[in-house]
Amino acid sequence: MNTRTIQLLSQSSLQDYVDCALRFRLRYLERLSYPAVESEPALENEKHQQEGEYFHRLVQQYLIGLPAARVGKMANTDNLRRWWDHFLRAFPNREELGTVYPELTLSAPLDHYRLLAKYDLIAVRDGKATIYDWKTYRKRPRNEWLSARMQTRVYRALLVKAGTHLNKGVPFRPEEIEMIYWFAEFPNEPARFEYMTDQYQRDWDLLAKLSGEVTLGQAQGASSYPQTDDRQKCAYCTYRSYCERGIGAGDWDEAEAEMQAEELFDVNFEQIGEIAF
């Protein structure tokens, strides 16, 4: 087994670890490239992911000051035009968001690692911060599922830890932070998650626990990364045939939003030098 020592953790890698420790080992320690299709129909799903990524770029251009009409000309598919129209209706005045930090990366020490997250947008107004995350899911996921995701827990906790420079040198209190998932297909149904000090403490305790398990697992070897018992998670995993958990990909048209392949719009750590995973 050719493994690497990782130095960075993200919401994506921690979610993989929580969902299936074996997937975490194969993807981040062994860096195994296994070309199983995540979902069917493959070409249509790939196109949807590419459109979602491009939508994020359109929003970023708008937030840094490009005129909406100019940005809108780059929406060159039916999905993009619809999502962009929905976005402008939901956010007609970027100035009302306050001071905006689009596509911002924050990091903080976590045990033997650095915890990193790339935010679609952090907006600061009157000493309060709102985290926005743009989603192009075909189905509106349940708030309970979103609340439990590592993204929700990491993004809010990391802003408390590492966001002082965004607030004139004053750390944000958890109660001054809110996270909003905005769905391009469901523009009037955002998911909003406020934050509390006790939630922050539980989140950071969990992150410390998980990082400790990863550290122990790297010391003990492959046996420390068991396969998930939840076979539903395997239908959308690129390693399912490697693990003898099936060959065919899950059909996104029949799946709940939470079982679809994860969107790939957060920072790609595999492109950050030799220390990344």
Side-chain angles (χ1 to χ4, degrees), residues 194-242:
E194 297 180 348
Y195 211 30
M196 302 292 289
T197 297
D198 60 341
Q199 290 177 301
Y200 165 70
Q201 190 59 58
R202 288 197 300 271
D203 287 345
W204 202 259
D205 287 347
L206 173 64
L207 294 172
K209 174 179 178 290
L210 294 177
S211 66
E213 291 177 6
V214 171
T215 299
L216 183 62
Q218 291 188 84
Q220 293 181 341
S223 62
S224 298
Y225 299 97
Q227 194 173 25
T228 181
D229 293 326
D230 184 355
R231 287 179 173 264
Q232 281 189 309
K233 298 185 185 299
C234 303
Y236 302 91
C237 177
T238 57
Y239 303 107
R240 63 186 171 278
S241 55
Y242 176 90

Side-chain angles (χ1 to χ4, degrees), residues 5-33:
T5 300
I6 62 173
Q7 299 182 37
L8 305 176
L9 292 173
S10 71
Q11 59 94 2
S12 296
S13 61
L14 289 171
Q15 189 67 59
D16 275 336
Y17 180 80
V18 170
D19 286 346
C20 178
L22 178 57
R23 183 198 300 168
F24 175 89
R25 174 170 68 86
L26 295 175
R27 179 171 289 168
Y28 301 110
L29 299 181
E30 297 189 32
R31 295 195 181 185
L32 180 64
S33 177

Side-chain angles (χ1 to χ4, degrees), residues 101-131:
Y101 301 93
E103 301 294 323
L104 180 71
T105 300
L106 297 179
S107 72
L110 178 64
D111 193 21
H112 300 293
Y113 310 98
R114 288 202 70 82
L115 180 66
L116 276 78
K118 185 176 182 181
Y119 298 78
D120 287 346
L121 172 65
I122 298 175
V124 179
R125 187 185 180 109
D126 299 327
K128 297 183 178 181
T130 304
I131 301 166

Side-chain angles (χ1 to χ4, degrees), residues 56-75:
H56 280 66
R57 295 177 183 173
L58 296 182
V59 173
Q60 179 195 22
Q61 294 298 303
Y62 171 73
L63 291 173
I64 63 175
L66 267 66
R70 179 178 173 186
V71 175
K73 292 179 180 179
M74 296 183 281

Side-chain angles (χ1 to χ4, degrees), residues 121-141:
L121 172 65
I122 298 175
V124 179
R125 187 185 180 109
D126 299 327
K128 297 183 178 181
T130 304
I131 301 166
Y132 289 93
D133 196 79
W134 323 119
K135 295 297 188 188
T136 56
Y137 290 148
R138 298 175 180 88
K139 296 183 179 181
R140 167 62 159 86

